Amino acid sequence: MTSLLILNGPNLNLLGQRQPEVYGHTTLAEIEDTCRQVAEDLGARVDCVQSNHEGVLIDAIHAARGLHDGIILNAGAYTHTSIALMDAISSAEIPMIELHLSNIHAREEFRRKSYIARVAVGQICGFGPEGYPLAMRAMMVHLAKISENQHDA
Ligand code: DQA
């Protein structure tokens, strides 16, 4: 069974209370419940992890090797600063989709730079909590394509 890791970075534990005008009123627990529901619909397994600490996120990416087939990563502000997270994704060699609730390209200049984007299959941003199910579906399509290509080879 395909297994996905939903990995959320700093301050995302405060969703629902944090700048609702930007991030909405949905809590992280609600988003994770939806992800579990969507995983069931897709016939996939899902694990949800959140941390405010860069090293813990890196450990979670390393631990995903051999356990998960795809990662959905909302790295929060580490998106714009963390070469270490980017390197962790490259090292783990697991397909990753970059996710943001807000449209980072329509906000402050410093949010337009993403280290994560360099190692992502693609980016979904600006759709609020609905971005998570979108990313999960996109990952399932991507993984199916990879597996088709492997069979053809
Ligand atoms: C965010 C966008 C980041 O710029 C910000 O630092 C966050 C949340 C988003 O989901 O829109 O913490 O990743």
Side-chain angles (χ1 to χ4, degrees):
M1 189 184 257
T2 302
S3 180
L4 304 179
L5 173 64
I6 312 287
L7 188 56
N8 281 292
N11 301 306
L12 294 164
N13 55 314
L14 296 181
L15 284 177
Q17 308 158 39
R18 171 195 185 199
Q19 292 177 276
E21 69 288 0
V22 179
Y23 299 114
H25 294 277
T26 309
T27 65
L28 184 59
E30 288 168 339
I31 288 174
E32 291 179 345
D33 279 349
T34 303
C35 289
R36 286 185 200 103
Q37 191 59 60
V38 171
E40 232 181 277
D41 295 348
L42 293 171
R45 245 183 58 76
V46 75
D47 276 345
C48 300
V49 174
Q50 187 276 331
S51 176
N52 293 320
H53 305 278
E54 193 175 18
V56 175
L57 295 168
I58 291 168
D59 287 344
I61 292 166
H62 292 173
R65 269 180 84 107
L67 197 64
H68 298 292
D69 303 292
I71 301 176
I72 313 298
L73 175 61
N74 184 348
Y78 287 141
T79 303
H80 318 297
T81 61
S82 182
I83 296 170
L85 266 180
M86 177 185 77
D87 283 350
I89 292 289
S90 303
S91 313
E93 295 180 325
I94 302 171
M96 178 273 295
I97 292 179
E98 174 181 357
L99 178 90
H100 303 282
L101 293 121
S102 64
N103 179 358
I104 56 170
H105 304 286
R107 299 182 63 195
E108 301 95 325
E109 186 65 41
F110 62 82
R111 291 188 207 275
R112 290 191 198 155
K113 177 169 180 60
S114 167
Y115 284 103
I116 305 305
R118 292 185 69 101
V119 292
V121 175
Q123 186 189 68
I124 293 177
C125 72
F127 294 99
E130 286 76 24
Y132 288 83
L134 285 173
M136 290 172 74
R137 290 178 200 283
M139 181 58 82
M140 293 300 278
V141 170
H142 179 74
L143 293 172
K145 253 194 229 160
I146 293 179
S147 132
E148 254 172 51
N149 290 343
Q150 278 166 354
H151 284 127
D152 289 350

